[in-house]
Amino acid sequence: MVGSYLKSTRIMILESYNKLTQVEKTVADFFLNERITDYTSKAVAERIFVSEASLSRFAKKIGFSGYREFIFAFTQNIKENKKLDQLTESVIHRYQVALEKTYQIIDNEQMIMISNILDKNPRVFVYGIGSSALVAREFCSRFVRLGLDVESATSNDEIMMNMSRINSSSLVIGISVSGTTSEVIAGLKTAHEKGAKTILMTAHRNIHNEKVSDIIIKLAYVKDLQNSNIISPQFTSLVIVDVIYTHYLNYRSKERMSSLQKFLHEVKEQK
């Protein structure tokens, strides 16, 4: 399982608890509440009066390949001895889930293609509203250091005023986790109609936003992400920005590194 060693086994057990059989819940309760010195399958099975096969089924039910992999992760968690409460572990785990989902869905060839598109378009605009505005500004902050002519529009008024500046040589990137941010979608629609290249970053693609986007970058979906319920909604978007940035920096790396060093030197001189 990708990245399972990074997770808290406690959180994994709790997340799967309601799906467990009664026997498996007996195993879960043991690992949640008790500590012993011998975690071999035979010793544990005898202690809680279940079969060794039940331990294996339990481990697989919560996401491991078997009991051996589970107990390795479990004992590693014990060795780390971090005194984190359930809420802290839950937040960290959600970020790990977001990274794993990003790993699963990211299209590496698409990332390379977009870095090349950025290189070929003389003017780039990035649209984002609300939390996505932070991503749009970060995008500009990162790429402008490498010499890219890029600008963000982070309100309805800014997007509307920017429409007159769009032409067929422009690249417009919209960021909307929900895929339904009306201002961003309207901005992409206008840009698309004017012949500009359009890219949408979203966790929810639909027929409407497919019609206004030449390329859709799929963002990892985590429950309640756009509502800022637990983790920052811009997190998965920023991961994608970093990946594109890395490919863009690598493409003509000497020239880009020179631009970056020059930018950093000028900032230092102004302090």
Side-chain angles (χ1 to χ4, degrees), residues 12-175:
M12 295 176 73
I13 293 171
L14 291 171
E15 284 188 336
S16 302
Y17 194 85
N18 292 333
K19 299 182 292 184
L20 302 177
T21 65
Q22 194 56 50
V23 172
E24 290 164 351
K25 285 180 179 178
T26 298
V27 180
D29 292 338
F30 169 75
F31 284 107
L32 288 172
N33 302 305
E34 297 189 41
R35 293 290 179 268
I36 59 176
T37 56
D38 185 359
Y39 285 104
T40 61
S41 59
K42 182 179 180 181
V44 174
E46 289 178 352
R47 184 180 180 91
I48 60 178
F49 306 104
V50 301
S51 67
E52 292 182 52
S54 294
L55 296 179
S56 179
R57 285 193 292 270
F58 160 76
K60 290 177 180 178
K61 187 71 73 72
I62 69 170
F64 292 90
S65 61
Y67 182 75
R68 181 177 294 182
E69 184 186 23
F70 162 72
I71 207 63
F72 176 79
F74 180 78
T75 52
Q76 285 296 111
N77 286 164
I78 293 174
K79 289 177 182 178
E80 289 168 2
N81 197 30
K82 288 186 179 294
K83 296 181 179 179
L84 304 179
D85 62 25
Q86 187 174 333
L87 291 176
T88 301
E89 287 190 347
S90 177
V91 173
I92 293 171
H93 177 62
R94 284 176 182 249
Y95 274 107
Q96 290 172 333
V97 168
L99 281 173
E100 285 188 0
K101 289 186 175 181
T102 299
Y103 177 84
Q104 291 165 5
I105 68 172
I106 195 167
D107 184 339
N108 192 66
E109 293 303 315
Q110 185 187 63
M111 297 296 99
I112 296 171
M113 177 182 67
I114 290 171
S115 69
N116 290 335
I117 291 173
L118 286 169
D119 187 64
K120 295 174 182 176
N121 284 82
R123 197 71 196 275
V124 180
F125 300 98
V126 187
Y127 296 166
I129 303 292
S131 63
S132 293
L134 299 175
V135 183
R137 294 190 188 104
E138 177 65 12
F139 188 105
C140 293
S141 175
R142 300 288 301 279
F143 282 87
V144 75
R145 300 177 186 185
L146 302 182
L148 184 67
D149 189 357
V150 57
E151 188 175 338
S152 64
T154 56
S155 70
N156 184 46
D157 288 344
E158 288 182 359
I159 291 174
M160 290 185 66
M161 287 189 291
N162 194 62
M163 289 179 179
S164 62
R165 305 167 65 192
I166 302 296
N167 56 48
S168 59
S169 63
S170 304
L171 170 62
V172 180
I173 301 173
I175 306 168

